[in-house]
Amino acid sequence: MQNIHISNARKILNRPEPIDIRLWTRSGEIQEWKRCISIKYEHYKGIRKMKLLDSRQIRQCRECCIFEINGIEVYL
């Protein structure tokens, strides 16, 4: 499996292309979001708002909780 640093992951997240991510939630469960794009990023809070294209939901997550982007593992 490939690994990328969080700084390179931010570059991928800032692109307008749909991506698949896996992340930890506040309760500790693992969620997988398919075909999502980043619509807003709050730098000081580290929170990113994502839009899931299939369901049109808008969700937010902390960047440090994302551990996989498009099948590539993210490390800090």
Side-chain angles (χ1 to χ4, degrees):
M1 181 179 261
Q2 294 178 327
N3 297 325
I4 58 171
H5 191 263
I6 188 73
S7 61
N8 293 332
R10 285 186 184 119
K11 293 176 187 175
I12 294 172
L13 288 167
N14 289 333
R15 294 183 195 158
E17 305 165 355
I19 56 171
D20 299 336
I21 62 173
R22 293 182 68 196
L23 56 111
W24 289 291
T25 62
R26 186 180 306 184
S27 64
E29 69 179 272
I30 295 175
Q31 288 188 354
E32 187 170 357
W33 297 353
K34 300 273 188 184
R35 290 183 25 85
C36 58
I37 56 172
S38 176
I39 55 175
K40 186 177 179 184
Y41 175 60
E42 297 178 21
H43 177 73
Y44 292 107
K45 294 181 180 179
I47 295 176
R48 189 171 288 273
K49 287 192 178 187
M50 307 290 286
K51 182 176 184 177
L52 296 137
L53 297 176
D54 295 335
S55 64
R56 296 184 180 164
Q57 291 181 343
I58 295 177
R59 296 184 180 183
Q60 65 181 13
C61 67
R62 293 195 179 272
E63 273 193 345
C64 61
C65 293
I66 298 173
F67 65 90
E68 189 174 303
I69 297 176
N70 290 337
I72 301 171
E73 188 176 328
V74 178
Y75 66 91
L76 299 176

